[in-house]
């Protein structure tokens, strides 16, 4: 399988999983924001991946 085909397949699978997760959350009454990152350790929200990485380096190093 070529690299382009694998990359496309991976993106399709990822999109499908995200769509299913969002639909499941909606049916259960949860609101799923897009573009929000959360720390696994303290659950602090971040709007950018760079700020999450900075938080992890400074707070949980």
């Amino acid at each position: 399988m070529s690299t382009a085909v694998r990359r496309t397949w991976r993106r399709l699978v990822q999109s499908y999983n995200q769509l299913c997760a969002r639909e499941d959350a909606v049916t259960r009454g949860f609101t799923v924001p897009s573009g929000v990152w959360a720390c696994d350790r303290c659950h602090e929200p971040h709007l950018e991946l760079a700020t999450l990485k900075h938080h992890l380096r400074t707070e949980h190093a």
Side-chain angles (χ1 to χ4, degrees):
M1 197 183 280
S2 71
T3 305
V5 172
R6 278 185 282 184
R7 186 180 311 124
T8 303
W9 179 256
R10 194 173 355 154
R11 287 180 183 168
L12 285 172
V13 169
Q14 182 180 15
S15 297
Y16 177 76
N17 288 337
Q18 288 177 351
L19 179 64
C20 289
R22 288 183 186 277
E23 287 179 0
D24 188 42
V26 168
T27 59
R28 295 174 190 262
F30 293 106
T31 302
V32 181
S34 60
V36 176
W37 300 87
C39 178
D40 287 336
R41 297 180 184 169
C42 65
H43 305 290
E44 182 176 331
H46 299 277
L47 295 178
E48 296 179 355
L49 181 58
T51 58
L52 173 64
K53 288 182 179 180
H54 176 57
H55 168 78
L56 291 173
R57 279 195 312 268
T58 57
E59 299 294 324
H60 303 293

